Amino acid sequence: MDVDIVCVGFGPATAGFLTTLSKQLVNADGTLAVESTVMPGMPPQVLCYERADDIGFGVSGVVTKARALRASFPEIKTAGIPMAAPVGEEKVLYLLDPHGASRRSLALHLADSLIRATKFALPFEQHALNLPWTPAFLQKHDGMILSMGQFMQWAGAQVQSTGTVQIWPGTPVAQALVEEKKVVGVRLLDQGVDKKGNPSDGFTPGMDVHAALTVIGDGPVGPIGRQLDEQFGLPEGKHLRDWAVGMKFVVDLPEDTPLKPGTVLHTFGYPEPEIFGFLYVHPDRVASLGIFVPSWFDSPTRTAYRYLQHWMLHPYLWRYLKGGKLRSWGAKTLGESGKHGEPHLTGDGYARIGEGSGTTNVLTGSGVDEAWATGTQLAEAVIELLKAKKPFTKQNLDETYVKRRRASWVEAEGRIAENSRDGFQKGVATGMIGMALAGLTNGKLSLGSAPVQPWKRIPTVEDYFTGKISRDEIAKLRDECKMKNASLHGALMDKAGWPAIPFDGQLLVSHQDALLMGGKVQAPHGYADHVVFLHPELCEKCGARICIEACSGQAITPGETGVPAFDREKCVHCGACLWNCSQANPENPERMNIAFRAGTGGLHSAEN
Ligand SMILES: Cc1cc2nc3c(=O)[nH]c(=O)nc-3n(C[C@H](O)[C@H](O)[C@H](O)COP(=O)(O)OP(=O)(O)OC[C@H]3O[C@@H](n4cnc5c(N)ncnc54)[C@H](O)[C@@H]3O)c2cc1C
Ligand code: SF4
Ligand code: SF4
């Protein structure tokens, strides 16, 4: 099939692109503003393929200054968007450990003791210190709290109502079509294949869609962006080494909740010092809350689900959450390299937008607005080129799209943020000081060193738990978990002193129940496994097996052969396995031993 423009992924970046583009293809009087080259006499044919089964199922993001959104929708009102609220009270909280189970450095222990000793003079309650002020770079004043799923459905409806572009959910793009360094379109995923991708009943090869311009907005772990990184390389000095998995609950708060819509709480310090948390309140007693577990958290058992439960149970938060009910659950990777990971933004026939193009601001924790902004910048560039009848060459895209991007606030703020997180390579205290320095000096000062590949940071289970659990005990727990074909983290956390989770069947539910109740995960038949263990021999001798421990959906299990097993039916497509592997890929040490390919299914909730 031939079209004019094909887009990969319908996240905020592509939504920004299509919102701006769709309004400018046809004039107000119905005449063509620009013309299709594949269907002369018609407006340009623009298609967008989204992997997830519906619009808004594959996204995340909640609180935003909404600068770019307001530029696209000047009349936007939170009242018109489900679950949206204007930002109200903002707090940053340092959570102390009420159980003594977390792994805190000597410096943090001393800081905690000092805080507890002087708490009568501090804004301290329920084992939490409320920072006296929210640093300006973290404030979201005048912004919005959104459910990104609901917002994307709203934005998708606006885009489709123009009648000039089409969005196809449930349609993963398998690869970019590259001819002599030029991207000429995309190939969709094969259907009717077995787990390994071999043709079986009802085999239908993925269709080739040729386009003059391919817009890649497939997010932080998108396979098309990574294919181009592999084929064209990253620019000198750039790397993708910093990640976090964000895991989130959407919750009905108890009827008598004192929390007002618009409330924004940011936390750090607990359940482990490396884990950041958030709680945002939507209208009608609904809250979005969750944690981020970063790649620089040197634990071989970094299971976001268990940590999320301990975070909710922190006394400061639990007094608000007790009696609440799970509505929706999800997990997604956040690309935390920011400008460190900026790929080639353009090439002949393609342009990259959004988080996969390094837009996320790692200092302010903002990604939605930045992704949307780069989409609109590309749309303006595309209209300019279409009107001038110029082809989508790298040079033309650089002179229009990249020029706009470099001159925008996204670039200016991205530069301030660029090195702000490097301190975390040396520990949490250095990381926090580094962020504050970068934030307060507009990026002129920072601390730390360049990030290393995530696989280099993963210690063995035995080393990580030295002093807490003996090697003999670990060996015993390993044997027990192997017999049950279960992951190890639960047993290790119990042994390390974490209290048992008091399941209540409403909010504190098992991981599997969260998948069923909150994620409603589904995987259609007839598609290949999208998670592949590239070198089974490396898995067989792998000690940490962190892919199993970190899997957000318990879709990766120990398996019977020494190589982990993957269950597509439980995969939420968070992409965490891509960077949670302790072995380098022998062909490319910047990558690891897992391939995360294009795939169907996943979460069925548009509330995340
Ligand atoms: C838990 C969590 C909380 C967050 N909170 C905030 C917040 O409060 N504020 C904020 O500003 N930002 C937040 N972010 C970051 C924000 O969500 C991202 O920066 C933003 O969504 C990036 O937009 P994007 O369009 O570039 O990519 P994505 O949102 O990742 O969208 C990419 C889309 O491409 C699709 N796709 C991927 N591969 C394919 C394929 N092969 N074929 C077809 N489609 C494909 C995906 O399904 C997805 O819909 C949060 C992120 C997480 C994970
Ligand atoms: S995928 Fe990576 S972490 Fe998992 S078992 Fe194989 S080598 Fe180990
Ligand atoms: S297997 Fe699926 S759910 Fe598990 S980490 Fe990978 S992408 Fe996430």
Side-chain angles (χ1 to χ4, degrees), residues 333-454:
T333 288
L334 186 71
E336 293 218 310
S337 292
K339 271 197 76 68
H340 278 320
E342 187 184 279
H344 295 290
L345 296 178
T346 59
D348 287 338
Y350 78 89
R352 306 216 15 205
I353 54 176
E355 193 159 299
S357 73
T359 50
T360 296
N361 189 307
V362 292
L363 177 64
T364 60
S366 173
V368 169
D369 228 7
E370 287 75 3
W372 186 283
T374 54
T376 62
Q377 289 155 9
L378 178 63
E380 285 160 9
V382 164
I383 291 290
E384 185 183 326
L385 292 175
L386 285 172
K387 285 190 171 160
K389 297 197 187 314
K390 287 187 176 173
F392 297 117
T393 58
K394 175 170 173 48
Q395 187 183 348
N396 288 340
L397 288 163
D398 282 348
E399 287 169 2
T400 52
Y401 165 51
V402 178
K403 192 173 160 200
R404 281 176 168 83
R405 183 160 161 171
R406 296 284 180 240
S408 76
W409 59 268
V410 178
E411 174 77 12
E413 294 179 11
R415 285 203 180 281
I416 292 173
E418 189 161 7
N419 301 319
S420 63
R421 284 194 171 225
D422 291 358
F424 288 112
Q425 297 294 317
K426 298 205 176 290
V428 177
T430 322
M432 296 303 291
I433 297 168
M435 266 184 86
L437 268 181
L440 298 173
T441 64
N442 276 343
K444 290 187 189 72
L445 296 178
S446 60
L447 276 183
S449 52
V452 299
Q453 294 94 333

Side-chain angles (χ1 to χ4, degrees), residues 213-292:
L213 177 67
T214 301
V215 175
I216 297 145
D218 58 355
V221 290
I224 310 309
R226 281 183 297 111
Q227 176 198 340
L228 297 191
D229 290 346
E230 186 102 16
Q231 279 186 260
F232 301 147
L234 283 170
E236 181 77 30
K238 301 287 180 186
H239 53 74
L240 289 162
R241 295 177 181 172
D242 279 346
W243 311 88
V245 63
M247 189 172 279
K248 165 171 165 187
F249 270 24
V250 183
V251 171
D252 280 324
L253 294 169
E255 276 179 24
D256 58 351
T257 183
L259 294 176
K260 302 223 164 21
T263 303
V264 171
L265 305 182
H266 289 285
T267 76
F268 64 103
Y270 183 82
E272 293 287 357
E274 293 87 347
I275 294 176
F276 291 81
F278 61 87
L279 188 152
Y280 309 130
V281 186
H282 304 278
D284 304 321
R285 284 192 296 109
V286 177
S288 285
L289 49 97
I291 57 167
F292 289 103

